[in-house]
Amino acid sequence: MWERIYRMLVKEFIQVLRDPRMKALIFVMPVIQLIMFGYAVTTDVDHIKTAVCDLDKSPQSRALIERFTASGYFTVVDNTDRPERLGELLDRSKAIIGIQINRGFADDLISGRQAVIQTIIDGTDSNTGTVAMDYAQRITQEFSKERAAPIELTQLAQEQASPIELRSRAWFNPDLKSRYYNVPGVIAVVVLLISLLLTAMAIVREREIGTMEQLMVTPIRSFELILGKTLPFVLISFIDVLVVTAIGVNWFNVPIHGSLGLLLFGAGLYLMSTIGIGLFISTISQTQQQALMSSFFFYLPAVLLSGFMFPISNMPEPAQWLTYLNPLRYFLIIIRDIFLKGSGLEILWPQFAALAVLGTVLLLVSSLRFQKRMV
């Protein structure tokens, strides 16, 4: 039996790796995807395109504008003397926020009167608009406290005195960098795509190129054929896991505080599920085109219902129940907790158990569906 499985493994590796384009697809594409998505998938908001209309042209107004640009959150793309120009720039999406400082700003600030500036936000992207508004508010508040008249500032401080002082502290990701959160998620998504596509093509390729008849007349059993067809992709997927994890740690400087061995164990359970799904798709497809389309039919909902892009708690209740059948949901928790929190099996055992159950059921169903005959 082991000799037959070994021969199948050799056959599969030769068939997969003899094509230089396939080798590039397997080993180079995951790296490119991780680097591309690692930079692109981010919720950090900085370098916000800003248009400024300074009608006061005083040292105080220029200092306020410099405070905006020095923060790193805002990049001035246009200075104008016409207030209507701000609306034009926002209409053309050349600016996300417009800042208008009216005449008399410096006089109001020096005399202790309330100085008012106006900000206009492009609300098309509500997340970016909300963050930009919050940044602008914080900068103007700090500037106001520093530049206000000393007497007025003292009175204001007395009026706003409070017995409660709030001190915030972020654990696991002190700088709140979204890349630390997103890059481990991208690793899980890339591994899902590679393992799913490779396995989905495994058996249907034999039918399409006409070699299934040759396998039918050999003494190899059905489960031996399944092992021989899937084990190469398990090994290749493990190599991809190691490669993209190394890229995430060394290229993006994402810390890994937990056990690498535990991460690989979780990846093994995760691959049981993804390869089981790919094998199931392969057994129900007649052509490679059908297998490819079926893979993407599963892939896109799996990503959307995993918590990778949107919190599961914000989804409708039926969608939340559906996520329990998604292996990506569990592996995202595992990989992010191991990377950022250093969590161990005593905390993550529910996710490991869920992946083990899902992987066993999916592989069992796929194996039962497979028959060593032409269909």
Side-chain angles (χ1 to χ4, degrees):
M1 181 186 72
W2 295 112
E3 178 67 20
R4 290 192 293 268
I5 294 176
Y6 171 74
R7 295 300 175 187
M8 278 295 301
L9 286 172
V10 172
K11 167 189 172 299
E12 285 300 311
F13 274 118
I14 293 175
Q15 190 168 356
V16 171
L17 300 179
R18 68 183 176 184
D19 186 355
R21 290 172 296 183
M22 181 60 72
K23 285 189 285 189
L25 182 69
I26 294 172
F27 299 113
V28 179
M29 187 183 73
V31 175
I32 294 175
Q33 285 183 322
L34 178 62
I35 293 175
M36 180 175 63
F37 291 134
Y39 285 112
V41 180
T42 176
T43 56
D44 294 338
V45 179
D46 51 18
H47 300 293
I48 302 167
K49 293 186 292 184
T50 306
V52 175
C53 179
D54 183 5
L55 300 177
D56 193 54
K57 298 188 183 303
S58 61
Q60 288 79 3
S61 65
R62 288 192 292 270
L64 177 59
I65 296 170
E66 290 176 1
R67 183 68 62 88
F68 273 86
T69 56
S71 67
Y73 299 128
F74 298 90
T75 300
V76 176
V77 296
D78 196 292
N79 277 287
T80 180
D81 295 329
R82 297 185 298 114
E84 62 271 14
R85 174 65 176 165
L86 298 180
E88 295 174 4
L89 293 172
L90 265 67
D91 287 342
R92 299 175 182 271
S93 297
K94 293 184 177 179
I96 295 176
I97 181 173
I99 302 174
Q100 179 176 328
I101 304 177
N102 294 323
R103 292 181 180 87
F105 171 79
D107 294 338
D108 292 339
L109 198 64
I110 293 172
S111 63
R113 295 190 300 269
Q114 187 177 36
V116 179
I117 67 172
Q118 182 181 18
T119 58
I120 308 171
I121 307 292
D122 181 358
T124 305
D125 184 346
S126 59
N127 177 67
T128 302
T130 302
V131 174
M133 190 182 301
D134 179 62
Y135 288 161
Q137 185 176 8
R138 282 191 291 168
I139 290 173
T140 53
Q141 285 177 348
E142 292 175 2
F143 183 85
S144 176
K145 291 179 181 179
E146 295 173 5
R147 296 281 177 158
I151 297 178
E152 295 293 331
L153 184 61
T154 303
Q155 293 175 352
L156 182 64
Q158 292 176 352
E159 292 174 359
Q160 295 184 349
S162 173
I164 300 176
E165 179 182 4
L166 176 64
R167 295 183 179 181
S168 300
R169 179 181 175 185
W171 285 10
F172 312 123
N173 186 5
D175 297 327
L176 296 177
K177 293 182 179 179
S178 65
R179 186 171 296 163
Y180 287 3
Y181 179 78
N182 289 326
V183 168
V186 171
I187 293 174
V189 170
V190 169
V191 171
L192 170 64
L193 179 61
I194 295 299
S195 60
L196 186 65
L197 287 179
L198 288 177
T199 313
M201 301 293 182
I203 295 175
V204 70
R205 183 175 61 242
E206 301 288 353
R207 295 196 189 101
E208 201 167 57
I209 64 179
T211 55
M212 183 63 76
E213 294 92 339
Q214 300 176 16
L215 292 175
M216 289 172 61
V217 298
T218 64
I220 191 170
R221 301 184 183 93
S222 297
F223 77 93
E224 295 171 355
L225 178 59
I226 291 176
L227 283 177
K229 298 292 288 184
T230 57
L231 282 180
F233 304 130
V234 173
L235 298 176
I236 290 172
S237 298
F238 261 113
I239 294 174
D240 283 337
V241 169
L242 293 172
V243 170
V244 294
T245 299
I247 295 293
V249 172
N250 297 300
W251 184 285
F252 292 104
N253 298 318
V254 180
I256 178 168
H257 297 299
S259 168
L260 181 60
L262 188 62
L263 176 61
L264 293 178
F265 176 57
L269 296 178
Y270 177 56
L271 289 174
M272 284 177 57
S273 300
T274 60
I275 287 176
I277 295 169
L279 187 61
F280 179 80
I281 292 173
S282 187
T283 59
I284 63 175
S285 302
Q286 297 296 320
T287 64
Q288 293 188 66
Q289 186 178 19
Q290 290 179 5
L292 181 64
M293 296 302 296
S294 299
S295 297
F296 278 101
F297 179 78
F298 169 80
Y299 174 76
L300 291 178
V303 173
L304 294 175
L305 295 175
S306 65
F308 173 68
M309 301 175 65
F310 315 106
I312 294 177
S313 58
N314 292 347
M315 298 178 186
E317 190 170 350
Q320 293 186 35
W321 283 102
L322 194 59
T323 62
Y324 288 109
L325 301 177
N326 185 5
L328 182 57
R329 169 200 170 116
Y330 303 106
F331 190 60
L332 280 177
I333 298 174
I334 290 173
I335 192 170
R336 283 169 172 164
D337 278 20
I338 290 178
F339 263 85
L340 299 180
K341 296 182 179 180
S343 301
L345 192 59
E346 68 280 0
I347 296 176
L348 296 172
W349 70 264
Q351 285 73 33
F352 279 88
L355 283 180
V357 172
L358 273 177
T360 302
V361 171
L362 288 169
L363 284 176
L364 181 61
V365 171
S366 301
S367 300
L368 292 176
R369 277 199 55 86
F370 177 78
Q371 297 177 358
K372 200 184 75 170
R373 61 181 178 83
M374 294 294 292
V375 295

